[in-house]
Amino acid sequence: MNTVTATAPATPAAFNREALEKLLSASAAPASIHQRQRASWERFAALGMPQRNDENWMRTDLRLFKPQGFGLRPRPAANAAVPPGLLAESFAAGSAEGPSERLAGRVLSLDGHILRDELDADLARQGVLFGAPERLLAEHGDLLHSHWLSVIDSGSDWFGALHAAFHSGGAILYVPPGVHVTAPLHLLSAITPGGVDTGHVLVVLGDGAEATLLTETAGGGLAGSPTAGFHCGGTEIVVGKGAMLRMVNLQNWNTGVWHFARQKARVHADGRLQWTLGALGSRLSQVQQDVALVGRGAHAQVNGVMFTEGRQQLVYNTLQHHQAPDCKSDLLYKGALQDRSRLVWRGMIKVDKIAQKTDGYQRNDNLMLSTEARADSIPGLEIEADDVRCTHGSTSGRVDDEQIFYAQARGLTADEAARLVVAGFFQQVFDRITIPPVREALARAIGGRIRRVT
């Protein structure tokens, strides 16, 4: 069991009770949600920052993180400049394989405030909900209240409790039973330099429903600047019986942003989840990504693409929790590191005693582009059932010099050769991504960051 050892509680002035009441006074969410936020604040105020003797935090360096330097910002003007997103640009420009794909809906958030939410009128008539959480919780509480902040463990540590108390912005997607949303929906969460985002994303698919949701982040300050940025977010996913969700999370904050997130999905009987994660930005990321297979025959595929440079540190803890029989989970994380960056992946497949006939797989591969980069890969199994097939593996290694030489011998520069090798390394994950603009945007973003192998 993981425990959080805390220092003496010290609530930053920017996140005190007065700041919470000011946030709630401007919120249109129902009183029941406000009550949950006040209860979460009590938990938050009693906690201290996580310490490095906690298993999930022992490889996360928080010494330079100063939460008192951040605070919630007032609502920006409707015409405020918003940093562009990689996926937003891709869908606006179209893909190399054809014209731009239509989006079924868009939500735009800046500094935790919703500036725009749109949904195709035909989908709205079918009962699909997509937009600002405050509005949808107020208008459709009977559908959504039971799911809101009930999937993730919001009281497990200081960051989870802060998010539960001060969450603002994000989006809700609800798809009624049997409804298929064929075009993707898109959420862009952005912050200004020095800004704060505490957005919460809730996705609920009814039985037999289908949808694709693309979420991405952008903005914040650059590494070394006095105006960095702070994100403390949460994502909750509920996939109903026989439903299918394609979920994409692209983390592309600027390199000065402190990024903390709690993400969890529950997949019910015969449900299908394809969850693709891209981690390219931030100064430091500490993410918990959990999948719980709670119904017989549930299936989850989790794909991770990570690229680090400079002094970035990305820490991702994943859990594939098999709670029902005949379920399958398949996780593939690939990371490439250059300069003095660091990447940590700690994965666990947990199989409950009831979860017979489990098929669980996890793999993490890391490609070192610098002798000063470091990758920690820690797979794990915790199995209580006796009729299962669970495997895991990890690899870390440097670029093969012969591959670079071979490419240069055919006219490529050293940088071009490095890009070619890295592209081949990530191809196994790219082949799993069924949305062409997403696949192309990730490939372009990584290709533009690669420099000569050192």
Side-chain angles (χ1 to χ4, degrees), residues 74-97:
R75 183 178 183 84
N79 61 349
V82 178
L86 288 173
L87 300 183
E89 291 178 335
S90 295
F91 276 88
S95 72
E97 298 181 12

Side-chain angles (χ1 to χ4, degrees), residues 99-122:
S100 174
E101 292 193 33
R102 182 179 66 88
L103 289 173
R106 296 175 184 264
V107 173
L108 175 62
S109 171
L110 182 64
D111 290 337
H113 299 276
I114 304 298
L115 297 185
R116 183 178 70 184
D117 61 347
E118 304 169 352
L119 177 64
D120 182 87
D122 289 338

Side-chain angles (χ1 to χ4, degrees), residues 213 215 245-251 273-279 289 301-305 333 429-430 432-435 438-439 442:
L213 177 61
T215 72
L245 175 66
R246 287 171 291 273
M247 183 80 178
V248 176
N249 297 127
L250 175 55
Q251 185 274 105
L273 171 66
Q274 184 191 69
W275 195 349
T276 299
L277 178 148
Q289 184 189 28
Q301 182 193 77
V302 182
N303 310 311
V305 176
Y333 263 42
V429 180
F430 290 159
R432 290 182 168 205
I433 302 174
T434 58
I435 310 165
V438 174
R439 186 169 60 240
L442 281 170

